[in-house]
Amino acid sequence: QVQLAESGGGLVQTGGSLTLSCVASGSGFIGRVNNMGWYRQASGKRRELVAAVTSGGSTNYANSVKGRFTISRDNAKNTVYLQMNTLKPEDTAVYYCTANIRLKFTNQEYDYWGQGTQVAVSS
């Protein structure tokens, strides 16, 4: 059973920093972790891509977070991170990690999602 679990959310003041982590567990079933990424969904809004990273380390970011957020990954630990600096109230949302994973025994690929972690930025 493959699962994603996020951690690191919380309440922070404007201008503060937080680091989110997401680990893909179930290593016995994981053949390869392809793209990993972070989405967020603010109350009453659609879920949006924040940042993504390929297995080779190429990254892309939403324009709204460029220069403030950094996505990275540790392939040995099947973990993706999101370093968030200079946080703004508009960054308040539930943050979800996602990963495209090829299963070891079937070679089928699936998109997995974490349960989400709340980030709240006070003004």
Side-chain angles (χ1 to χ4, degrees):
Q1 185 86 2
V2 175
Q3 292 182 322
L4 300 185
E6 303 105 334
S7 61
L11 175 64
V12 65
Q13 291 185 332
T14 296
S17 298
L18 281 175
T19 300
L20 305 182
S21 301
C22 173
V23 59
S25 61
S27 59
F29 298 92
I30 296 174
R32 176 183 171 89
V33 181
N34 298 315
N35 292 355
M36 304 184 82
W38 291 93
Y39 282 71
R40 67 186 181 187
Q41 187 167 20
S43 180
K45 295 188 176 181
R46 301 174 69 174
R47 190 174 296 189
E48 62 175 1
L49 174 68
V50 176
V53 58
T54 68
S55 57
S58 297
T59 59
N60 69 286
Y61 297 90
N63 287 334
S64 59
V65 306
K66 281 181 181 177
R68 300 188 298 121
F69 290 11
T70 301
I71 189 170
S72 61
R73 62 188 287 171
D74 184 332
N75 290 331
K77 296 181 179 179
N78 291 333
T79 300
V80 62
Y81 305 95
L82 186 68
Q83 173 68 44
M84 304 184 293
N85 298 325
T86 319
L87 282 160
K88 305 175 181 180
E90 51 263 44
D91 295 317
T92 295
V94 178
Y95 284 69
Y96 298 90
C97 76
T98 183
N100 180 265
I101 296 175
R102 178 181 297 174
L103 300 182
K104 184 176 291 186
F105 302 111
T106 66
N107 284 328
Q108 291 178 309
E109 296 183 350
Y110 296 95
D111 291 327
Y112 291 88
W113 291 83
Q115 79 287 354
T117 185
Q118 177 71 52
V119 171
V121 184
S122 63
S123 57

